[in-house]
Amino acid sequence: MDITVAIDAMGGDHGPHVTIPAALNAIKQDSQLNVILVGLKDVIDAELAAHQAVIGPRLRIHHASEVVAMDESPQSALKNKKDSSMRVAINLVKSGEANACISAGNTGALMATARFVLKTLPGIDRPAIAGILPTQKGTVHMLDLGANADCTPEHLLQFAIMGAMLVSCVEQKERPSVGLLNIGSEDIKGNEVVKQAGELLRASHLNFYGNIEGNDIYKGTTDVVVCDGFVGNVALKTSEGLAQMVNRFLVQEFKRSWLTKLMALVSIPVLKAFKRRLDPRRYNGASFLGLRGIVVKSHGGADSLAFQYAIRAAAEESRSGVLSRITEQLEIEHLKPQAALQDVETTKEGI
Amino acid sequence: MDITVAIDAMGGDHGPHVTIPAALNAIKQDSQLNVILVGLKDVIDAELAAHQAVIGPRLRIHHASEVVAMDESPQSALKNKKDSSMRVAINLVKSGEANACISAGNTGALMATARFVLKTLPGIDRPAIAGILPTQKGTVHMLDLGANADCTPEHLLQFAIMGAMLVSCVEQKERPSVGLLNIGSEDIKGNEVVKQAGELLRASHLNFYGNIEGNDIYKGTTDVVVCDGFVGNVALKTSEGLAQMVNRFLVQEFKRSWLTKLMALVSIPVLKAFKRRLDPRRYNGASFLGLRGIVVKSHGGADSLAFQYAIRAAAEESRSGVLSRITEQLEIEHLKPQAALQDVETTKEGI
């Protein structure tokens, strides 16, 4: 299935130096993928020339005159950067010229702009950030990873529906299991929001596993892990911190003396295989779920390989038909399309 | 300084088989430590005999006829097990016969019983569970790890005071830095409770570092990490799960073939040193802070070495004078002793 992905070529810590080689590799590997590079035409041209790449039907440029800074506030990006590479890439999804867009830029600005331009799906109050993590059994999809610090039980139910439909579509799992992140397995455990969310999930048509605890994430107990954006972000960042520390301790121990350095040399193949299994680049590309279009966020510090994984995630999501599956499931769950009404009002206000 | 620690000999997954050898080793290593083994006298006698240990002034037995089950509800333990080894150990702290008590039993029951018997310190609404984690720079003390799923900003301030005073007393740090676990470093980040807690902390006399993120825990950015019990528990359990997965991947890669097994054999000294640095047994022993007495909780699955570390933590905390330091600091922060009033009423009601 032919897919076009709009790439915010300017986003991320390294901008076109990372996004453009990644895009070139991605279209080489996926013959049914077309990309539109969005950003400052001169800069993109120069980077393409450096890679001896030429534009054509599968590789186009769409000029955008502005760039959202990595530390710019979402409000400023929305008000002052109407021709930013980020916003124009999202506009291409809105107009139907692209099936998905991807950016390694400022998360807050990307979420605010995507929400403003695309609006949420009917029945979804707030989009959530869904990411993939490795587990002992394979992978797990977890949401929300930081878009919504304060959530109601209804939000958590909506996240569960979106996450389950994503896994169902992208991984072809008929009825993916959904775990509710909590601090104990019994129904009475947790804070008030989580307890009520548990009741809503038990009453839903989803394959609800029940409460899970933090260690279940990496055990791979369920296919989907649902939590509010505060807890999800802390769990994700804590994991990043622990992984960095573990890696550093391993390097320190192997570098302790000439003897241990020799041991490291001997063990290189194993250490490389081990490192590969935990390589965060393979899991790069978080979905902004709940919007009327596909938006994928790459890690800001992504290198070319990591950004390529995120492009692949955007293409897979586009082909999966996840948006209509979410809408269908929301109808099954009889959720009222409140968001649709809210969006109309937001549009009236303008920004 | 002579210290007496009351040990719930029956608690934990392995009971006296772990607690008693650990106690015997602990008094060997610390000549100013005395222990009271609390539990079923016959069982304790048999275990002591198996280790050819004899009772004396430094090693006493205090009979308790009941045992709280690992899955028993806190309410049931409070109402029906008034002569449990756990409760009697706490009673010995209340009466002054012991300076601290320690249990590897059911966390909920231990917290409920400790709170009922000992009461909270004036100015403390709720006790919190404080644990130690390894970091790239040393160690960090983090609280709450699961006692309070729903917290107010005032609770988080109280946790910060307790955590800072613990580190100040136990690690002799004059003004330990306190980080507030959040999802961004800016003051406006986070959920409502955390934003307000940030304001209280900025106005306090503590050495408040500001907001920190999940990865700062293991970076060792601050000496103390403050969060609610829901977030703290998720962060801790997520870390446990990730550490297990990393360990399993490393073992799997080294066991893949006879060649990689050979590499493992060569690297044994490094792998052992690496494992030791992350060994959770070395960080066993979480403090129930905020009570009018010292209560330390060991991991339920602790082995003898891990339980010994928890006994050492209880002894260190007893010698540190942390309770009076917390009380002093609460007075400096002008917190009203609400808890003291509440306790009087709880006592009147009885259980």
Side-chain angles (χ1 to χ4, degrees), chain A residues 134-139 218-222, chain B residues 245 248-249:
Chain A
T135 74
Q136 293 201 22
K137 293 180 186 167
T139 55
Y218 294 104
K219 266 191 198 163
T221 304
T222 57
Chain B
M245 185 178 78
R248 195 170 158 181
F249 282 0

Side-chain angles (χ1 to χ4, degrees), chain A residues 336-350:
Chain A
K336 285 178 198 159
Q338 297 172 350
L341 296 170
Q342 282 172 4
D343 283 341
V344 174
E345 303 207 344
T346 316
T347 317
K348 275 183 200 159
E349 285 166 27

Side-chain angles (χ1 to χ4, degrees), chain B residues 115-299:
Chain B
R115 205 174 156 177
F116 177 73
V117 172
L118 297 173
K119 315 300 174 207
T120 50
L121 287 168
I124 297 295
D125 297 322
R126 297 187 191 178
I129 303 177
I132 305 181
L133 294 169
T135 74
Q136 293 199 24
K137 292 182 188 165
T139 55
V140 64
H141 289 248
M142 181 161 161
L143 71 169
D144 175 26
L145 294 181
N148 309 285
D150 284 298
C151 288
T152 64
E154 289 74 22
H155 293 148
L156 294 179
L157 172 62
Q158 291 169 17
F159 297 170
I161 294 168
M162 298 193 294
M165 294 309 107
L166 181 68
V167 173
S168 151
C169 292
V170 172
E171 310 215 339
Q172 285 88 42
K173 281 188 183 167
E174 189 63 39
R175 278 174 60 73
S177 58
V178 175
L180 179 63
L181 192 55
N182 203 332
I183 59 172
S185 52
E186 307 88 350
D187 294 349
I188 56 147
K189 286 277 183 176
N191 59 32
E192 284 312 313
V193 171
V194 169
K195 279 185 220 168
Q196 289 176 36
E199 286 176 30
L200 293 178
L201 281 162
R202 272 186 290 281
S204 77
H205 300 83
L206 298 172
N207 179 12
F208 180 49
Y209 174 90
N211 290 330
I212 59 165
E213 297 188 72
N215 51 344
D216 288 303
I217 300 171
Y218 293 105
K219 265 189 199 164
T221 304
T222 57
D223 298 313
V224 180
V225 173
V226 171
C227 56
D228 72 43
F230 192 97
V231 170
N233 190 274
V234 167
L236 183 74
K237 295 258 176 80
T238 300
S239 299
E240 282 176 14
L242 178 57
Q244 274 167 11
M245 185 178 78
V246 166
N247 190 45
R248 195 170 158 181
F249 282 0
L250 198 60
V251 169
Q252 281 174 351
E253 291 304 330
F254 270 116
K255 281 192 172 170
R256 202 167 280 282
S257 69
W258 65 265
L259 190 65
T260 59
K261 280 179 192 165
L262 200 66
M263 293 171 186
L265 214 61
V266 169
S267 304
I268 278 177
V270 176
L271 295 176
K272 273 196 173 166
F274 168 67
K275 217 176 158 185
R276 192 180 176 280
R277 285 181 78 169
L278 292 167
D279 190 348
R281 295 181 300 180
R282 294 171 61 209
Y283 307 100
N284 188 37
S287 307
F288 284 5
L289 283 182
L291 297 162
R292 299 180 192 209
I294 291 167
V295 179
V296 169
K297 168 72 175 71
S298 158
H299 199 288

Side-chain angles (χ1 to χ4, degrees), chain A residues 68-185:
Chain A
V68 174
M70 288 304 271
D71 57 354
E72 195 163 345
S73 79
Q75 292 71 25
S76 156
L78 259 179
K79 278 197 181 171
N80 309 324
K81 299 279 176 76
K82 294 195 180 168
D83 197 39
S84 72
S85 54
M86 182 186 277
R87 182 146 177 177
V88 173
I90 297 170
N91 287 341
L92 292 172
V93 175
K94 169 88 173 172
S95 67
E97 287 174 76
N99 302 93
C101 70
I102 169 166
S103 174
N106 179 332
T107 309
L110 184 66
M111 178 56 95
T113 310
R115 206 175 156 177
F116 178 72
V117 172
L118 296 173
K119 315 301 173 206
T120 50
L121 287 168
I124 297 293
D125 297 322
R126 297 188 190 177
I129 302 176
I132 304 182
L133 295 170
T135 74
Q136 293 201 22
K137 293 180 186 167
T139 55
V140 65
H141 290 249
M142 183 160 160
L143 73 170
D144 175 27
L145 294 181
N148 308 285
D150 282 298
C151 288
T152 65
E154 290 73 23
H155 294 147
L156 294 180
L157 172 63
Q158 293 169 17
F159 298 170
I161 293 169
M162 299 193 293
M165 294 309 106
L166 180 69
V167 174
S168 153
C169 292
V170 173
E171 309 215 339
Q172 286 87 44
K173 280 188 183 166
E174 190 61 41
R175 280 174 61 68
S177 57
V178 176
L180 179 64
L181 193 55
N182 203 330
I183 60 170
S185 53

